[in-house]
């Protein structure tokens, strides 16, 4: 059912459950306005941007009673609408066209966009094709690019988020019209803004679209040149999101695609603090898929001298990487050995070599040498012992049995 506008929180555009009134006389959902005032330290009314000195929140009991009465009246209607999801494609087609017309003509687009998203969510291939052929993507892209010109307008921003919520459900491939429209510079700029300033949902929608674009061979050079370090900071913030694991995983995928494409992108990521963020993610990355993605990114950054230097300077880098060897998967072990090989062959400071011994890297490398068969991972482990074995065996904590093994290694040179 269409929700009366006065029942919607101006911040989230969701039906209010605990409405409170602020000094300007407008009502907001309590948790949203509290976050606005006390978490984000804002001193303005979100809807009017009027300056505020009194931050008292007064419960709006009358509005709450009206909302509850409206909900009770519409329970029957809501149950009917939920059963309409099985309606025929022709009915959905007509409803979709009607919604697109409303979206184009009305300044209040959010409600219609939500309904449109519920139709596309069904995942019916005929409906999705119908939507694209009816110029639905063009209509939504126009909404998205509006935030380039009205980025401070709350209503425009919410409409953009909902439009992205529809578009992220569509399939994307390089030869399709949807990909072409979303790849345009204005669209990319708008989505980059959403990635930086959008709500949690808005950022999830955006990173989902970016993930699909990366799978369709999108060239990220324009984004890197246009957005610079800010773009990587937004991605790294999502990577660190402990609440929305979907957003975090998709941001990792996008970063892998970007950093795998050019050295310039790696330098920008390093400047944005990628090494520090990724190293601090490793201890809690217990799922093999996430751990592998983080290590792949660190390996890519290690291909730059700046990346290796940042890793050497990080106090927990060697410890975090060593911990994942032989504990998560064969792939994580293989990648971790590659990282250690790059560091200790190109940046073999005494501190790094000591940390490799203290944090168990050397012991695990020795274990790899005892595995039957030949592999590139085993070869790298052997090379590390040949380079630094004499230094490691001088330490008191170096096991006696390892000294005997190193003597055999020396004899094999």
């Amino acid at each position: 059912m269409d929700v009366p506008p006065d029942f919607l929180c101006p911040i989230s555009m969701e039906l209010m459950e605990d409405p409170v009134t602020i000094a300007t006389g407008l009502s907001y959902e309590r948790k949203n306005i509290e976050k606005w005032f006390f978490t984000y330290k804002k001193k303005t009314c979100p809807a009017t941007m009027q300056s505020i000195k009194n931050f008292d929140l007064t419960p709006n009991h009358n509005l709450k009673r009206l909302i509850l009465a409206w909900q009770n009246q519409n329970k029957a209607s809501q149950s009917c609408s939920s059963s309409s999801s099985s309606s025929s494609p022709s009915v959905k087609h007509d409803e979709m066209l009607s919604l697109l017309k409303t979206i184009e003509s009305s300044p209040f687009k959010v409600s219609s966009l939500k309904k449109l998203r519920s139709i596309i969510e069904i995942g019916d291939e005929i409906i999705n094709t119908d939507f694209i052929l009816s110029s639905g993507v063009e209509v939504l892209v126009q909404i998205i690019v509006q935030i380039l010109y009205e980025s401070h307008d709350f209503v425009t921003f919410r409409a953009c988020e909902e439009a992205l919520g529809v578009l992220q459900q569509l399939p994307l491939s390089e030869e399709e019209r949807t990909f072409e429209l979303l790849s345009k510079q204005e669209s990319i700029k708008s989505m980059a803004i959403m990635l930086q300033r959008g709500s949690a949902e808005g950022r999830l929608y955006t990173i989902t679209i970016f993930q699909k674009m990366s799978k369709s061979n999108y060239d990220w050079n324009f984004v890197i040149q246009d957005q610079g370090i800010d773009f990587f900071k937004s991605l790294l913030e999502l990577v660190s999101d402990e609440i929305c694991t979907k957003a975090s995983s998709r941001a990792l995928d996008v970063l892998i695609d970007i950093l795998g494409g050019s050295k310039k992108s790696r330098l920008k990521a390093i400047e944005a603090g990628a090494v520090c963020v990724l190293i601090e993610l490793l201890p809690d990355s217990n799922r093999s898929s996430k751990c592998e993605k983080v290590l792949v990114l660190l390996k890519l950054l290690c291909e730059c001298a700046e990346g290796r230097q940042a890793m050497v300077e990080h106090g927990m880098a060697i410890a975090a990487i060593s911990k994942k060897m032989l504990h998560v998967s064969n792939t994580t072990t293989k990648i971790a050995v590659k990282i250690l090989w790059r560091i200790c062959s190109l940046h073999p400071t005494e501190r790094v070599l000591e940390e490799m011994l203290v944090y168990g890297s050397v012991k695990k490398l020795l274990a790899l040498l005892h595995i039957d068969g030949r592999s590139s991972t085993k070869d790298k482990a052997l090379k590390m012992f040949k380079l630094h074995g004499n230094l490691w065996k001088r330490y008191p904590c170096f096991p006696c049995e390892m000294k005997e093994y190193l003597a055999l290694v020396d004899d094999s040179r």
Side-chain angles (χ1 to χ4, degrees), residues 372-411:
D372 292 334
R374 184 94 182 263
S375 69
S376 60
T377 303
K378 191 173 178 180
D379 287 344
K380 286 182 178 66
L382 184 59
K383 286 176 182 176
M384 281 187 263
F385 276 114
K386 287 181 177 180
L387 277 174
H388 307 298
N390 287 331
L391 184 144
W392 284 329
K393 66 184 180 184
R394 292 205 300 265
Y395 284 89
C397 59
F398 194 82
C400 294
E401 65 272 17
M402 290 174 73
K403 290 181 181 178
E404 294 172 6
Y405 188 84
L406 283 181
L408 295 174
V409 171
D410 289 336
D411 293 340

Side-chain angles (χ1 to χ4, degrees), residues 184-226:
K184 288 187 174 181
Q185 292 185 2
E186 281 190 329
S187 302
I188 293 295
K189 282 184 177 182
S190 299
M191 288 190 282
I193 290 172
M194 185 58 65
L195 207 62
Q196 293 169 25
R197 296 172 43 202
S199 66
E201 277 191 341
R203 287 186 294 164
L204 175 60
Y205 299 151
T206 305
I207 199 64
T208 302
I209 292 172
F210 279 166
Q211 183 197 39
K212 290 183 177 183
M213 292 176 72
S214 69
K215 290 179 179 178
S216 299
N217 301 315
Y218 175 71
D219 185 350
W220 296 97
N221 283 326
F222 166 74
V223 191
I224 296 165
Q225 291 171 6
D226 184 67

Side-chain angles (χ1 to χ4, degrees), residues 236-253 256 277-278 280-298 324 328-329 331-332 335:
L236 290 169
E237 188 178 334
L238 274 183
V239 162
S240 306
D241 192 334
E242 296 178 356
I243 298 172
C244 185
T245 55
K246 284 183 181 179
S248 177
S249 178
R250 289 166 192 176
L252 286 169
D253 288 337
I256 289 170
V277 170
L278 293 169
E280 289 173 9
L281 273 180
L282 262 184
D284 297 322
S285 302
N286 297 319
R287 290 184 296 108
S288 61
S289 59
K290 183 175 182 179
C291 185
E292 286 169 16
K293 289 175 183 178
V294 172
L295 286 170
V296 165
L297 287 168
L298 287 170
K324 298 304 175 183
V328 183
S329 69
T331 303
T332 57
I335 301 169

Side-chain angles (χ1 to χ4, degrees), residues 75-330:
K75 276 183 180 178
S77 299
Q78 287 174 343
S79 63
C80 289
S81 65
S82 65
S83 65
S84 69
S85 61
S86 59
S87 58
S88 66
S90 60
V91 173
K92 289 294 179 187
H93 171 77
D94 293 340
E95 186 181 357
M96 183 180 66
L97 290 180
S98 174
L99 287 169
L100 286 172
K101 286 179 182 177
T102 304
I103 290 166
E104 281 190 286
S105 60
S106 171
F108 306 106
K109 306 177 188 298
V110 172
S111 179
S112 297
L113 284 165
K114 285 185 176 182
K115 291 178 183 176
L116 184 59
R117 178 151 59 96
S118 69
I119 294 173
I120 302 296
E121 267 177 358
I122 298 169
D124 189 292
E125 191 174 336
I126 296 172
I127 292 173
N128 289 351
T129 305
D130 228 6
F131 173 75
I132 295 167
L133 292 175
S134 302
S135 300
V137 178
E138 284 85 347
V139 172
L140 298 194
V141 167
Q142 285 178 2
I143 295 171
I144 291 169
V145 299
Q146 275 302 112
I147 65 169
L148 292 176
Y149 315 105
E150 300 176 34
S151 61
H152 296 293
D153 184 82
F154 182 77
V155 175
T156 302
F157 221 80
R158 280 291 295 123
C160 177
E161 287 186 330
E162 288 300 330
L164 289 168
V166 178
L167 292 168
Q168 58 101 20
Q169 298 181 75
L170 299 174
L172 276 181
S173 63
E174 200 172 355
E175 61 278 359
E176 288 181 355
R177 177 70 172 154
T178 307
F179 182 86
E180 179 189 340
L181 290 168
L182 288 173
S183 300
K184 288 187 174 181
Q185 292 185 2
E186 281 190 329
S187 302
I188 293 295
K189 282 184 177 182
S190 299
M191 288 190 282
I193 290 172
M194 185 58 65
L195 207 62
Q196 293 169 25
R197 296 172 43 202
S199 66
E201 277 191 341
R203 287 186 294 164
L204 175 60
Y205 299 151
T206 305
I207 199 64
T208 302
I209 292 172
F210 279 166
Q211 183 197 39
K212 290 183 177 183
M213 292 176 72
S214 69
K215 290 179 179 178
S216 299
N217 301 315
Y218 175 71
D219 185 350
W220 296 97
N221 283 326
F222 166 74
V223 191
I224 296 165
Q225 291 171 6
D226 184 67
Q227 299 291 319
I229 296 172
D230 288 339
F231 180 63
F232 287 101
K233 285 181 177 178
S234 301
L235 288 174
L236 290 169
E237 188 178 334
L238 274 183
V239 162
S240 306
D241 192 334
E242 296 178 356
I243 298 172
C244 185
T245 55
K246 284 183 181 179
S248 177
S249 178
R250 289 166 192 176
L252 286 169
D253 288 337
V254 172
L255 269 174
I256 289 170
D257 186 54
I258 294 173
L259 299 189
S262 71
K263 181 181 177 181
K264 187 175 182 181
S265 65
R266 292 170 208 159
L267 294 173
K268 292 282 186 185
I270 292 164
E271 195 176 347
V275 171
C276 184
V277 170
L278 293 169
I279 288 296
E280 289 173 9
L281 273 180
L282 262 184
D284 297 322
S285 302
N286 297 319
R287 290 184 296 108
S288 61
S289 59
K290 183 175 182 179
C291 185
E292 286 169 16
K293 289 175 183 178
V294 172
L295 286 170
V296 165
L297 287 168
L298 287 170
K299 181 180 75 69
L300 287 168
L301 296 174
C302 264
E303 292 173 9
C304 301
E306 293 85 352
R308 293 190 294 271
Q309 188 63 40
M311 208 167 293
V312 166
E313 291 173 357
H314 194 290
M316 291 306 296
I318 301 299
I321 294 165
S322 300
K323 188 177 179 181
K324 298 304 175 183
M325 290 171 62
L326 302 178
H327 279 297
V328 183
S329 69
N330 290 333

Side-chain angles (χ1 to χ4, degrees), residues 58-71:
T58 306
N60 192 332
H61 297 298
N62 189 44
L63 179 57
K64 186 172 183 177
R65 279 194 294 271
L66 289 171
I67 291 172
L68 289 172
W70 175 84
Q71 285 179 310

